[in-house]
Amino acid sequence: MDGVTVINHPLVQHKLTIMRKKETSTAGFRRLLREISMLLCYEVTRDLELTLETIETPITQMQSPVVEGKKLVFVSILRAGNGLLEGMLELVPSARVSHIGLYRDHDTLQPVEYYFKAPDDLDERLLIVVDPMLATGNSAIAAIQKLKERGAKNIRFLCLLAAPEGIKNFQEAHPDVKVYTASIDSHLNEKGYIVPGLGDAGDRMYGTK
Ligand SMILES: O=P(O)(O)OC[C@H]1O[C@H](OP(=O)(O)OP(=O)(O)O)[C@H](O)[C@@H]1O
Ligand SMILES: O=c1cc[nH]c(=O)[nH]1
Ligand SMILES: [Mg+2]
């Protein structure tokens, strides 16, 4: 599918299977999400441009590669996005962080915003927006709309599971934003949940149901 990268690394797929199981505990789910987020982060940053910096090793001077440009911004769509954010920050500790508080209204499936905080200079940075679930796509669409209104131009979206319906809606709204996911599942059910999915990611992470 154009504009969508499915991260099919065996370790990602194995961990995802355990996360999907209904008997996996809150503690297990949280730990796996943290582990998987590092592997996903590795893939979503795979093609970052490098520039050469002159450094001194204990032996000699050399030209050595470093990531080009300003620091990355990781954008977490609360709450469940924080589960991905944590591991990603372990790999890229210098990244800037933005939080967007959104919850999906159970009846309308429309996102309701309750928080927004981001660095000022979004137009000069690569943003990686993270949320484990892309279901209808409404939450990710709204979050990215908000970031674009604040000047963001270079954006990627990273999730764990995506529904085909969500990808279609998302790509219609934001054709310039590449999607990275560990799986494209079958479909959405009548309540807007991903099938087969893993249930409600926020509730499974935080034990709220
Ligand atoms: O693609 P959509 O149809 O918009 O659904 C996906 C959204 O639903 C979940 O969040 P939820 O609203 O449950 O909030 P939470 O993270 O606070 O639990 C998930 O983490 C996404 O943000
Ligand atoms: O399946 C779904 C759909 C939306 N949000 C979730 O957490 N899970
Ligand atoms: Mg939830």
Side-chain angles (χ1 to χ4, degrees):
M1 199 182 279
D2 256 12
V4 182
T5 301
V6 178
I7 301 165
N8 51 15
H9 189 288
L11 290 178
V12 170
Q13 294 303 317
H14 183 91
K15 288 174 193 296
L16 178 56
T17 296
I18 306 172
M19 293 180 76
R20 288 184 190 271
K21 290 183 183 179
K22 64 180 181 191
E23 65 269 24
T24 296
S25 68
T26 298
F29 190 90
R30 222 166 19 219
R31 182 176 46 76
L32 285 157
L33 187 56
R34 202 176 135 279
E35 290 170 5
I36 221 171
S37 66
M38 294 191 218
L39 300 165
L40 299 178
C41 182
Y42 182 79
E43 292 294 339
V44 76
T45 54
R46 176 180 280 283
D47 63 348
L48 292 189
E49 292 201 5
L50 294 170
T51 185
L52 292 176
E53 184 181 301
T54 306
I55 62 162
E56 300 268 352
T57 75
I59 310 296
T60 186
Q61 199 180 69
M62 73 174 287
Q63 298 270 299
S64 197
V66 290
V67 174
E68 192 173 55
K70 284 202 166 198
K71 304 267 186 295
L72 302 177
V73 182
F74 294 153
V75 183
S76 167
I77 303 180
L78 304 175
R79 291 176 298 170
N82 276 2
L84 286 175
L85 175 68
E86 216 183 289
M88 292 179 67
L89 282 174
E90 284 202 27
L91 277 198
V92 190
S94 62
R96 305 310 190 230
V97 177
S98 170
H99 293 92
I100 303 185
L102 287 180
Y103 70 86
R104 196 170 77 140
D105 182 280
H106 282 291
D107 298 320
T108 65
L109 301 183
Q110 290 304 313
V112 181
E113 185 182 323
Y114 58 88
Y115 187 77
F116 182 87
K117 190 84 179 173
D120 284 336
D121 51 358
L122 293 181
D123 55 322
E124 299 168 33
R125 297 177 187 270
L126 169 63
L127 280 68
I128 301 175
V129 180
V130 301
D131 189 327
M133 311 303 271
L134 184 76
T136 63
N138 293 340
S139 302
I141 290 170
I144 288 171
Q145 185 56 38
K146 181 98 184 181
L147 294 164
K148 286 183 174 175
E149 285 163 13
R150 301 291 174 109
K153 294 187 177 73
N154 189 5
I155 308 173
R156 299 176 184 190
F157 179 76
L158 172 66
C159 60
L160 197 53
L161 297 187
E165 298 91 324
I167 292 175
K168 183 168 178 290
N169 290 339
F170 183 86
Q171 290 189 320
E172 278 167 16
H174 298 297
D176 55 308
V177 179
K178 289 207 172 94
V179 175
Y180 296 77
T181 183
S183 174
I184 302 175
D185 274 16
S186 168
H187 62 279
L188 293 178
N189 70 13
E190 63 294 346
K191 291 187 173 154
Y193 278 87
I194 298 174
V195 181
L198 51 71
D200 186 304
D203 286 341
R204 293 204 62 187
M205 269 176 67
Y206 294 119
T208 40
K209 213 174 247 173

